[in-house]
Amino acid sequence: MPTPHISAPDGAFAPDILLPGDPRRATRIAETFLDDAELVTEVRGILGYTGTYQGRPMSVMATGMGMPSATIYTTELIRHYGVKRLVRVGTVGGIHMDLQLGDVVAASSAHTDSAMTAQRLPGVHYSHAPSFTLLRAAADHADETGAPLRVGPVLTSDAFYQPDETLVPRLAAYGTLAVEMEAAGLYAVAAAEGVEALMVGTVSDHVVKGEFLEADERERTFAAMVSVALGALTR
Ligand code: ADE
């Protein structure tokens, strides 16, 4: 049944889904990685496809940017379409000095400066964590394929342009690898709904070093990261 934000028939999505932020990336992932991919929803230009990957049903759908948008789509996918394993495939801004552009980060936890998930459990500083099964599968896949995967905490921020310039260095001092804008919301929704989630992202820019990837390198490293996500889902 259609939802307020997804117009697709029952059964239109696979239990496993990749979630880029950008709708054009959803199209590119469907075209590049999936077989027999069909467009199943396009409300507000948020494109979703279902096909197969190595013979298994697999979906990909955009979420837009930020937790408010991502949590709308993931909640509806889980509650109305029975999606069970969600892997966000995005870009992150590096903040740890050891990180290189093009590295792939898997978020083993997500700090947040947002009030969004605090509303769920008032009085608790909730730990936003992924599915250990998916995280381990991603790490094992990267070990076997040599993908440059780094596992560690990220900051999920409501702001792309940080108003407090001291925040990033302070978090880096606590071992935080990168900043992005969706993982904490995804992890909280998945936990509340009893399903599995993971965020993987390529380092598209380094906030402290002031570096960023050119468009063609961005595409190449993004594809490497999608391979890690698909590897995790198919182990
Ligand atoms: N995604 C990619 N780079 C980012 C950054 N610098 N801040 C937040 N999200 C990002």
Side-chain angles (χ1 to χ4, degrees):
M1 201 174 50
T3 71
H5 304 94
I6 302 172
S7 180
D10 286 349
F13 290 93
D16 293 345
I17 193 163
L18 297 178
L19 301 167
D22 179 352
R24 285 170 310 173
R25 284 207 194 280
T27 304
R28 216 160 307 140
I29 291 168
E31 288 172 351
T32 312
F33 289 91
L34 302 191
D35 294 318
D36 306 320
E38 284 184 15
L39 183 69
V40 293
T41 182
E42 52 183 334
V43 178
R44 291 174 181 247
I46 293 290
L47 306 176
Y49 300 83
T50 297
T52 60
Y53 176 73
Q54 295 181 349
R56 302 161 57 117
M58 184 71 64
S59 293
V60 54
M61 190 173 109
T63 63
M65 283 185 283
M67 285 201 282
S69 182
T71 54
I72 287 172
Y73 294 109
T74 51
T75 301
E76 293 182 6
L77 284 166
I78 296 163
R79 287 191 187 163
H80 299 272
Y81 292 99
V83 171
K84 299 279 185 231
R85 301 198 306 164
L86 305 91
V87 180
R88 168 169 154 68
V89 284
T91 57
V92 301
I95 62 177
H96 201 282
M97 292 309 273
D98 287 353
L99 278 191
Q100 311 294 327
L101 296 179
D103 282 352
V104 181
V105 169
S108 57
S109 63
H111 315 304
T112 187
D113 56 17
S114 174
M116 259 200 92
T117 67
Q119 294 165 359
R120 290 177 174 269
L121 289 167
V124 172
H125 293 282
Y126 180 72
S127 297
H128 308 85
S131 151
F132 179 66
T133 308
L134 283 177
L135 180 61
R136 182 163 61 182
D140 288 347
H141 180 83
D143 276 352
E144 281 167 22
T145 59
L149 184 72
R150 297 289 306 267
V151 177
V154 302
L155 169 68
T156 301
S157 182
D158 276 344
F160 184 87
Y161 300 103
Q162 295 297 335
D164 176 358
E165 288 179 1
T166 71
L167 179 65
V168 157
R170 281 187 287 126
L171 279 163
Y174 275 72
T176 310
L177 296 181
V179 55
E180 56 83 69
M181 301 181 73
E182 292 83 15
L186 171 64
Y187 289 178
V189 165
E193 302 292 333
V195 300
E196 294 186 83
L198 177 66
M199 192 293 295
V200 292
T202 39
V203 181
S204 61
D205 56 289
H206 199 291
V207 180
V208 180
K209 298 179 191 170
E211 300 169 347
F212 58 91
L213 284 178
E214 300 296 340
D216 54 341
E217 266 296 276
R218 236 175 132 109
E219 284 312 310
R220 197 184 59 72
T221 57
F222 196 87
M225 183 259 304
V226 171
S227 298
V228 171
L230 287 167
L233 283 169
T234 51
R235 284 183 81 83

